[in-house]
Amino acid sequence: MPARALSERAARAALAAHFAPGQLAAELDEYTPAEVWDRRVRDDGSGLLASYRPREELAQAELTCSFVIPSDEEWPTALADLGPVCPLGLWIRGRERLPRLTGNAVVVTGNRVPTEQAVTRAHDFATALAEAGHTVTATLAYGVDSTAHQAAAEAGRASLAVLPRGLDGAHPHAHASLLRSVLDDGGAAVSLYRPGTAASGATLKASAVVLAALARAVILVEALDHVEAMYAAETAVDLLRLETDESEHITDRVAGCLALKYGLRTDRLVSLTTDQVLVHPEEPGVVGLQLAQAQRGRPRQLRRQPPQSGTCPDRARIGPNRQLRN
């Protein structure tokens, strides 16, 4: 009796647990996800993939959160802009809310150890966005990101959290209550990684790419000091979605920091004021005046690709993929 065919969902979840999308893009252009998995199992001399049970692993993981794939109606269409590095799937808590939240998502991110002025401005931006009908989107990191979620909650609006680890926990661990609050207030949490996956340098960078791609814009508050915010900024520039806080000296510091690290053209960084956030959310593609420039609907080739290894927790190692302390 022939073996039961692997579903697309189970195959994508299995592939995502072991490979980054860019490693599989060429094969997925030619074969189905189930066929790609079978090919990878046959070619794996270590036996690691042969011992993996895609159906059972998916069923166990979905006790914690849902695995959404591109054929699902909840799939965020904005991720198509990532082209060959578009995720194989997303792990979601609050799945039924995702289309509503991602339709007007705007990222507010920045310094993990912010000045008092930066905290105030992050709070003001997030409040203005929430009250204008946009979904405040951020990581759960200390500083600007957590302030953004708190501001949205205070405004009585749902927010969207993107995590660099499995959704069975928070990153950092100290913000587990913040994650619960996001979900209890009608928001959702998104991750590239199955439950049980710890945060690492690689997961932070890959998650930052998704963070930027999910949103209509990325608003940077204060000079950046964290790898995830830097990768989000790089992706936003590639997708023409970058906005910067124009408070005194801040824009120059952000531009200089990005230019130094990535060799970006600083004339592509556009400043944004709180007043420019106060617009009607039903205007397509508009958050502030500059967001009319945002272009969507066609894949862009990112100049800086997200990490192509370290997606499987069993393969964490010293270096950029090392697991992080919370």
Side-chain angles (χ1 to χ4, degrees):
M1 181 176 179
R4 182 162 55 101
L6 196 61
S7 70
E8 179 184 3
R9 193 176 313 277
R12 283 180 172 272
L15 290 168
H18 296 86
F19 305 100
Q23 295 174 296
L24 305 171
E27 287 177 88
L28 288 171
D29 282 342
E30 188 173 353
Y31 302 99
T32 67
E35 290 170 339
V36 172
W37 174 255
D38 288 341
R39 287 166 56 88
R40 290 285 178 154
V41 169
R42 288 196 302 270
D43 293 343
D44 177 35
S46 71
L48 174 65
L49 299 185
S51 66
Y52 191 85
R53 297 291 178 261
R55 297 183 188 86
E56 292 81 356
E57 292 285 349
L58 176 61
Q60 182 63 35
E62 287 200 313
L63 296 176
T64 299
C65 50
S66 299
F67 187 65
V68 175
I69 60 176
S71 58
D72 291 325
E73 63 180 19
E74 300 93 342
W75 182 258
T77 56
L79 293 178
D81 287 0
L82 293 176
V85 296
C86 180
L88 294 159
L90 290 176
W91 296 96
I92 312 289
R93 291 178 66 180
R95 172 177 178 167
E96 69 283 355
R97 309 165 187 165
L98 196 62
R100 169 176 55 84
L101 294 172
T102 56
N104 287 294
V106 178
V107 170
V108 179
T109 190
N111 205 328
R112 270 50 176 169
V113 187
T115 62
E116 184 176 344
Q117 181 191 35
V119 171
T120 299
R121 293 186 67 82
H123 190 280
D124 290 346
F125 275 119
T127 299
L129 287 164
E131 291 178 347
H134 300 286
T135 301
V136 172
T137 304
T139 72
L140 297 179
Y142 298 111
V144 167
D145 291 61
S146 57
T147 296
H149 284 296
Q150 291 160 359
E154 291 167 10
R157 305 301 173 92
S159 61
L160 177 63
V162 178
L163 275 66
R165 58 151 296 148
L167 295 180
D168 52 334
H171 181 78
H173 289 314
H175 282 176
S177 60
L178 179 59
L179 175 58
R180 287 194 298 271
S181 176
V182 167
L183 297 171
D184 291 345
D185 290 342
V190 173
S191 177
L192 292 170
Y193 303 101
R194 63 178 182 173
T197 306
S200 70
T203 68
L204 282 167
K205 294 172 184 177
S207 298
V209 172
V210 171
L211 178 71
L214 281 172
R216 294 188 175 209
V218 175
I219 297 178
L220 304 174
V221 180
E222 202 173 57
L224 307 181
D225 65 342
H226 192 276
V227 65
E228 192 166 11
M230 295 297 288
Y231 263 74
E234 165 69 5
T235 302
V237 168
D238 282 332
L239 298 176
L240 299 183
R241 300 181 195 169
L242 184 65
E243 310 294 323
T244 60
D245 173 10
E246 70 160 12
S247 57
E248 186 177 5
H249 303 308
I250 297 303
T251 300
D252 289 342
R253 290 167 63 192
V254 172
C257 189
L258 288 169
L260 178 64
K261 189 168 182 66
Y262 294 116
L264 302 181
R265 288 172 46 198
T266 56
D267 60 352
R268 296 180 69 183
L269 306 184
V270 184
S271 63
L272 183 69
T273 66
T274 307
D275 289 342
Q276 290 170 322
V277 173
L278 299 175
V279 298
H280 296 293
E282 57 268 20
E283 288 189 64
V286 177
V287 174
L289 297 180
Q290 291 83 7
L291 281 184
Q293 302 170 6
Q295 298 180 29
R296 277 195 160 181
R298 65 176 185 274
R300 294 178 179 275
Q301 183 63 44
L302 299 183
R303 290 190 305 276
R304 185 180 182 87
Q305 299 294 322
Q308 299 297 301
S309 61
T311 57
C312 177
D314 298 327
R315 297 183 179 180
R317 55 183 181 272
I318 301 299
N321 303 328
R322 67 186 184 282
Q323 293 188 1
L324 303 181
R325 295 179 181 177
N326 283 272

